[in-house]
């Protein structure tokens, strides 16, 4: 029996999840089909986590519009949906007169785009704000509305809230084929057949492929890989703003920033990837050295030690602007493609417009959606014991002693938090899924200590046998067989 | 819950247990051991191989047996232990007339357990360095584990983490796991060591690698990691004496498991919540011969102070710290007027203690920075040699002890009557 829905969103990245949340305000049946085992597993899970102020995009572009609007939406969204956001502001640093001209140009663009409260600073003013800044900096563009979020936690929050409002998330259901029907589309995924009136293509790197399958326009996607180095949280205070260098043709340049979770982040590189290699998120020694050298340009005292992990993300780029709107070729298909930077910032604003586009298409098909009276606008975050004062910790433990049992010592994550991470609304019973939801294993020992206990809790909560617990996708099982006389 | 306690011991592994026994035997009765895990014994519980206790008990024990001896001693004495409880914060209040230390613990039983203590012994142990510390590039598939994690999965959880194994780093846990995985039917292809010498004890090189026909490749490291879901292989390469990769020596080695045994780091995040002076080389606190840190009444011992080669030394050190903590708590401690610094020079990488009060005989423990052939350690006060201790061989993997008896102590006092310091060096002959 095929599943039926009004809107099928293909891709559970930040845009797909944010659109799902917007649609869940209405009486429409929405399904999200995600190829990977969790949401935020593509570009949305591995990027700089910056809420850009909006001075970069060309005035008049979709990027400009959605960026500035999205930036303004995030503080309230973070508070409502319980994901970390810090409005720390950003500096674009000038090291030369030509950089200074770029800073002037960005300032003007910012004004044109409606970015509030920007200032051009002298080098000394910038250094007064950032003591570790290079003395080669001669000026900077300060944008106080820029901020930082955890990109995967934001995506999970959108998805959780959508699911709490009735959206179905199908994980590990990559799209294999799309057929046109009278009603709309029949989409074949890994194990399912789904009938949908409207399709929303949020497939990121695979958006071109999805469009082709649905009979939509040709969307050429080029990929750029960005490598990052993540430092121990004891270096999280090394800088206190997002520090950009001036942008170039490959992107916004290497940044040095605290993360919303309190680590220090360096990156990204920007390297083209061959078209046929969709998932090459390997780090390279060359890439890691280059971002370190560029980071040292911003902050000459950037420590060489203290890194806890390196990672890489891939940006899906298509032309010079986002591609957002109903397909001109395939009726009922909405394209949301080429969502490279500032895609994370733009996602909530894009979601509002795309949800309206989907409702309009449904109305044309005779389905008039109403706003739900019982829409749940907020999401309760998993309590973060690390950031609580002692009184709150005590109160929480009294309610549930599991919140007094620390499992991940590096990030001070308790058993209670891990259990909560496994109780939905979207259950992802993997070590990485738990890690992205409550930070167990995210710290300086990278799970060396807590992994077995996390596996036990996953097994207890879900019934998956201990030795079959996975790190992430299929094929990443930790256990490779039992010992004789081992646990039974 | 708020309580006053004479001595709080943070950690119920070998260091904390020995410190507790020693404090009790010194007369301390207001004593509590805080342990994060649900059982005592710490990391020894997963070290099911033998070789423990040859020095302390003069017999060969497994890790759990060694731990149990101390657990029994703690239980026989009726020493209070708080399990499943983790200390998250220390405070020092010198303005208080008594109980100047506050130890804040998260506990499932009490929620918050706030202990006001006269003495605190830090015995939190160490953790393993990870891939991110090495910046090893490549993909991030399943199958890459610290040696200690693999040890826990096999010995405590009863599952095999993989079958075709490459081990990076020749630290002792890596060597032990090479043998352990071989015994369980895995194919351990090689151990790669970045340095031109092993980081493991000579006896482990013999018993775990040579006896099992597992090759050890020195001056070799992993430079790339391959595989999307499960690890598929690593690229290894030789390095020159500056640890730069030698072009042309790269070699692909198929494997489904990579174990990292690339060093241990004292776990001092808690220590850093108070303003204790730290030693940049050991990664632990700076201490005197009683293992007292630069905050009076706070002591550190075991792997949280400096990474030890064998647990017997942890026990000895912790006995010293526990005794001194009890003396401090019971008002028996000698008033220390001034300290003489002890520093490492030349081939000696560090010393513990880093300063001494010269109120009683003591030992200086140290490690060398590279292997030395026959030679001697020399402890000097100014130009005067206080102790010369010969060695046939000194290797970074092994700790060395230079004992200072009453006679040597008197000599030091003579030489450094005013300002002065002690310096430890090591030379080949």
């Amino acid at each position: 029996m095929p599943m039926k829905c009004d809107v099928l969103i293909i891709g559970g990245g930040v845009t797909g999840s944010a659109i799902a949340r917007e649609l869940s305000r209405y009486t429409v049946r929405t399904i999200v089909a995600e190829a990977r085992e969790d949401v935020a597993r593509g570009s949305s899970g591995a990027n700089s986590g910056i809420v850009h102020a909006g001075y970069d995009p060309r005035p008049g572009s979709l990027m400009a519009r959605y960026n500035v609007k999205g930036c303004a939406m995030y503080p309230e969204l973070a508070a409502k949906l319980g994901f970390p956001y810090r409005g720390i502001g950003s500096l674009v640093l000038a090291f030369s007169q030509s950089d200074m001209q770029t800073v002037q140009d960005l300032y003007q663009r910012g004004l044109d785009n409606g970015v509030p409260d920007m200032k051009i600073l002298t080098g000394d003013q910038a250094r007064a704000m950032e003591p570790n800044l290079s003395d080669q900096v001669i000026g900077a563009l300060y944008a106080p509305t820029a901020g930082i979020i955890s990109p995967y936690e934001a995506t999970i929050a959108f998805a959780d809230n959508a699911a709490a409002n009735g959206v179905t998330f199908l994980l590990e259901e990559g799209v294999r084929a799309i057929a046109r029907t009278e009603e709309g589309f029949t989409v074949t995924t890994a194990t399912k057949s789904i009938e949908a009136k409207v399709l929303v293509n949020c497939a990121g790197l695979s958006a071109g492929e999805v469009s082709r399958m649905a009979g939509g326009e040709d969307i050429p996607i080029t990929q750029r890989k960005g490598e990052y180095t993540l430092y121990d949280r004891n270096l999280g205070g090394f800088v206190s703003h997002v520090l950009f260098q001036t942008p170039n043709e490959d992107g916004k340049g290497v940044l040095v920033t605290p993360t919303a979770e309190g680590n220090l982040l360096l990156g990204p590189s920007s390297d083209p990837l061959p078209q046929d290699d969709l998932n090459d998120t390997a780090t390279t020694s060359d890439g890691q050295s280059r971002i370190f050298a560029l980071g040292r340009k911003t902050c000459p005292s950037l420590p060489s030690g203290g890194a806890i992990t390196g990672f890489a993300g891939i940006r899906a780029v298509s032309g010079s602007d986002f591609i957002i709107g109903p397909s001109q070729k395939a009726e009922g298909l909405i394209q949301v493609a080429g969502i490279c930077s500032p895609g994370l910032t733009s996602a909530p604003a894009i979601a509002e417009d795309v949800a309206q586009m989907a409702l309009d298409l449904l109305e044309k098909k005779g389905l008039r959606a109403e706003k739900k009276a019982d829409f749940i606008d907020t999401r309760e975050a998993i309590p973060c014991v690390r950031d609580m004062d002692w009184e709150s910790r005590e109160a929480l433990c009294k309610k549930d002693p599991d919140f007094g049992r620390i499992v991940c010592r590096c990030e001070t994550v308790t058993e209670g938090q891990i259990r909560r991470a496994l109780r939905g609304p979207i259950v992802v019973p993997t070590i990485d899924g738990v890690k992205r939801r409550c930070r167990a294993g995210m710290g300086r020992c990278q799970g060396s200590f807590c992994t077995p206990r996390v596996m036990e809790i996953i097994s207890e909560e879900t019934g998956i046998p201990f030795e079959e617990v996975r790190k992430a996708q299929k094929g990443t099982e930790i256990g490779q067989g039992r010992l004789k006389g081992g646990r039974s | 819950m708020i309580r006053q306690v004479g001595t709080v011991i943070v950690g119920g592994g070998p260091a904390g247990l020995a410190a507790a026994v020693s404090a009790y035997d010194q007369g301390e009765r207001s004593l509590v051991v805080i342990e994060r895990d649900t059982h005592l014994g710490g990391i020894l519980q997963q070290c099911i191989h033998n070789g423990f206790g040859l020095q302390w008990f003069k017999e060969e024990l497994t890790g759990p047996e060694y731990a149990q001896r101390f657990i029994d001693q703690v239980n026989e004495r009726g020493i209070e232990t708080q399990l499943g409880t983790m200390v998250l914060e220390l405070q020092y209040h010198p303005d208080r007339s008594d109980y100047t230390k506050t130890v804040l613990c998260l506990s499932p039983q009490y929620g918050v357990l706030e202990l006001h203590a006269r003495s605190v012994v830090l015995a939190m142990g160490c953790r393993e360095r990870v891939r991110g510390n090495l910046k090893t590039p490549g993909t991030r598939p399943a199958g890459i584990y610290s040696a200690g994690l693999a040890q826990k999965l096999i010995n405590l959880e009863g599952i095999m983490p993989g079958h075709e194994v490459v081990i990076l780093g020749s630290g002792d846990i890596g060597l032990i796991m090479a043998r352990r995985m071989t015994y369980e039917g895995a194919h351990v292809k090689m151990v790669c060591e970045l340095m031109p010498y092993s980081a493991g004890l000579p006896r482990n090189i013999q018993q775990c690698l040579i006896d099992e026909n597992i090759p050890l490749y020195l001056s070799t490291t992993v430079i790339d990691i391959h595989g999307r879901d499960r690890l598929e292989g690593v690229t290894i390469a030789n390095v020159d004496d500056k640890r730069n990769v030698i072009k042309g020596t790269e070699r692909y080695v198929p494997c489904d498991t990579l174990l990292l045994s690339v060093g241990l780091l004292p776990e001092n995040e808690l220590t850093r919540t108070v303003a204790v002076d730290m030693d940049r080389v050991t990664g632990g606190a700076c201490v005197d011969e009683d293992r007292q840190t630069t905050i009076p009444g706070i002591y550190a011992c075991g792997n949280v102070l400096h990474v030890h080669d064998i647990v017997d030394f942890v026990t000895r050190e912790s006995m010293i710290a526990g005794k001194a903590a009890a003396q401090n708590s019971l008002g028996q401690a000698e008033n220390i007027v001034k300290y003489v610094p002890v520093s490492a020079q030349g081939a000696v990488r560090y010393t513990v203690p880093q300063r001494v009060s010269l109120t009683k005989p003591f030992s200086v423990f140290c490690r060398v920075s590279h292997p030395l052939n026959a030679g001697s350690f020399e402890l000097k006060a100014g130009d005067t040699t206080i102790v010369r201790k010969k060695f046939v061989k000194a290797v970074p993997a092994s700790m060395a002890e230079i004992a200072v008896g009453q006679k040597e102590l008197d000599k030091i006092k003579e030489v450094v009557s005013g300002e002065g310091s002690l310096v430890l060096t090591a030379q080949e002959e």
Side-chain angles (χ1 to χ4, degrees), chain A residues 1-324:
Chain A
M1 267 290 282
M3 297 177 78
K4 290 191 178 195
C5 64
D6 301 316
V7 183
L8 174 63
I9 298 168
I10 299 173
V14 68
T15 36
S17 299
I19 293 166
R21 176 174 185 266
E22 281 307 314
L23 282 171
S24 73
R25 295 175 187 275
Y26 299 90
T27 55
V28 291
R29 175 97 180 87
T30 305
I31 294 178
V32 177
E34 165 56 45
R36 306 291 294 271
E37 84 291 352
D38 196 354
V39 297
R41 287 289 276 126
S43 312
S44 304
N47 59 68
S48 309
I50 307 299
V51 175
H52 294 282
Y55 45 72
D56 282 292
R58 182 173 44 79
S61 62
L62 291 175
M63 283 181 175
R65 184 165 113 219
Y66 289 125
N67 182 337
V68 176
K69 191 172 170 208
C71 175
M73 291 170 76
Y74 263 108
E76 190 190 333
L77 278 170
K80 274 186 179 171
L81 298 180
F83 59 86
Y85 165 87
R86 287 161 63 196
I88 59 173
S90 67
L91 294 172
V92 181
L93 307 169
F95 293 85
S96 66
Q97 283 310 324
S98 95
D99 285 352
M100 210 53 216
Q101 185 55 51
T102 307
V103 161
Q104 292 285 355
D105 295 346
L106 290 174
Y107 180 75
Q108 190 53 50
R109 271 193 180 192
L111 291 179
D112 293 346
N113 290 345
V115 179
D117 305 328
M118 293 178 300
K119 276 194 202 111
I120 291 181
L121 308 179
T122 64
D124 286 341
Q125 285 170 326
R127 273 182 292 275
M129 290 166 68
E130 283 292 350
N132 285 317
L133 208 56
S134 164
D135 56 13
Q136 303 295 307
V137 170
I138 59 166
L141 173 64
Y142 174 49
T145 52
I148 48 178
I149 58 171
S150 160
Y152 46 86
E153 285 184 79
T155 308
I156 289 166
F158 289 133
D160 270 356
N161 190 234
N165 284 297
V167 174
T168 301
F169 279 78
L170 301 175
L171 302 175
E172 298 186 311
E173 293 290 354
V175 172
R176 301 285 187 267
I178 300 173
R180 294 228 45 136
T181 63
E182 199 137 310
E183 287 271 277
F185 302 89
T186 298
V187 177
T188 309
T189 64
T191 71
K192 291 191 164 54
S193 175
I194 306 160
E195 290 176 3
K197 297 188 179 75
V198 170
L199 268 191
V200 183
N201 177 9
C202 297
L205 293 170
S206 304
E209 180 66 8
V210 165
S211 180
R212 189 191 59 72
M213 285 194 278
E217 36 282 276
D218 191 25
I219 302 178
I221 302 273
T222 53
Q223 313 185 62
R224 295 200 80 84
K225 177 156 88 174
E227 290 194 33
Y228 294 87
T229 305
L230 187 71
Y231 288 82
D232 193 298
R233 67 165 53 253
N234 62 25
L235 289 165
F238 182 75
V239 296
S240 49
H241 300 80
V242 184
L243 303 182
F244 293 100
Q245 294 171 8
T246 50
N248 56 41
E249 63 275 14
D250 291 336
K252 298 187 178 73
V254 165
L255 58 85
V256 181
T257 183
T259 67
E261 295 281 12
N263 296 78
L264 176 70
L265 182 69
L266 171 67
S269 58
S270 181
D271 298 306
L273 269 185
Q275 205 58 38
D276 54 348
D277 205 351
L278 281 186
N279 275 308
D280 178 13
T281 54
T283 56
T284 62
S285 95
D286 175 56
Q288 294 286 309
S289 320
R290 274 186 286 129
I291 58 174
F292 183 68
L294 286 164
R296 276 263 166 109
K297 185 183 170 191
T298 296
C299 298
S301 58
L302 183 73
S304 56
I308 60 171
T309 190
F311 64 92
I314 304 171
R315 282 158 273 172
V317 185
S318 190
S320 60
D321 203 357
F322 297 148
I323 298 169
I324 295 169

Side-chain angles (χ1 to χ4, degrees), chain B residues 12 17 21 39-42 45 64-77:
Chain B
L17 294 174
V21 167
H39 53 262
L40 297 171
Q45 299 289 16
E65 286 172 327
Y66 190 97
Q68 195 59 44
R69 297 238 172 151
F70 281 95
I71 294 170
D72 290 345
Q73 291 184 44
V74 163
N75 290 337
E76 282 158 17
R77 286 163 177 75

Side-chain angles (χ1 to χ4, degrees), chain A residues 269-474:
Chain A
S269 58
S270 181
D271 298 306
L273 269 185
Q275 205 58 38
D276 54 348
D277 205 351
L278 281 186
N279 275 308
D280 178 13
T281 54
T283 56
T284 62
S285 95
D286 175 56
Q288 294 286 309
S289 320
R290 274 186 286 129
I291 58 174
F292 183 68
L294 286 164
R296 276 263 166 109
K297 185 183 170 191
T298 296
C299 298
S301 58
L302 183 73
S304 56
I308 60 171
T309 190
F311 64 92
I314 304 171
R315 282 158 273 172
V317 185
S318 190
S320 60
D321 203 357
F322 297 148
I323 298 169
I324 295 169
S327 165
Q328 302 303 311
K329 275 184 74 182
E331 199 251 315
L333 171 68
I334 301 172
Q335 308 283 20
V336 187
I339 311 297
C340 54
S341 179
L344 178 68
T345 313
S346 304
I350 294 173
E352 286 187 348
D353 278 10
V354 171
Q356 193 53 54
M357 290 173 201
L359 295 175
D360 292 347
L361 285 175
L362 287 173
E363 195 165 348
K364 269 196 226 164
K365 289 172 188 267
L367 188 135
R368 201 185 161 83
E370 305 290 335
K371 276 210 164 190
K372 287 187 209 163
D374 58 350
F375 175 71
I376 308 158
D377 197 24
T378 57
R379 164 184 176 264
E380 198 188 335
I382 298 173
C384 180
V385 171
R386 185 195 65 224
D387 292 343
M388 283 179 185
D389 59 29
W390 284 100
E391 286 75 24
S392 312
R393 286 171 180 165
E394 182 142 42
L396 189 58
C397 287
K398 285 215 170 108
K399 271 197 281 181
D400 184 349
D402 281 352
F403 287 92
R405 262 180 224 110
I406 288 171
V407 173
C408 166
R409 58 189 180 193
C410 301
E411 293 288 319
T412 323
V413 182
T414 61
E415 186 175 328
Q417 289 163 270
I418 296 168
R419 291 193 185 278
R420 276 283 300 275
L422 289 160
R423 289 175 186 174
I426 299 171
V427 176
V428 180
T430 66
I431 293 166
D432 286 355
V434 166
K435 177 166 89 171
R436 279 190 288 270
R437 281 163 180 78
C438 67
R439 291 188 66 78
M442 195 71 93
R444 50 182 68 92
C445 93
Q446 290 284 294
S448 301
F449 175 76
C450 63
T451 294
R453 183 65 193 134
V454 170
M455 290 168 68
E456 281 173 357
I457 297 170
I458 290 172
S459 182
E460 286 166 21
E461 287 284 328
T462 65
I464 297 169
F466 179 85
E467 63 271 23
E468 290 171 22
V469 172
R470 304 182 325 205
K471 175 181 187 288
Q473 67 272 22
K474 284 180 183 133

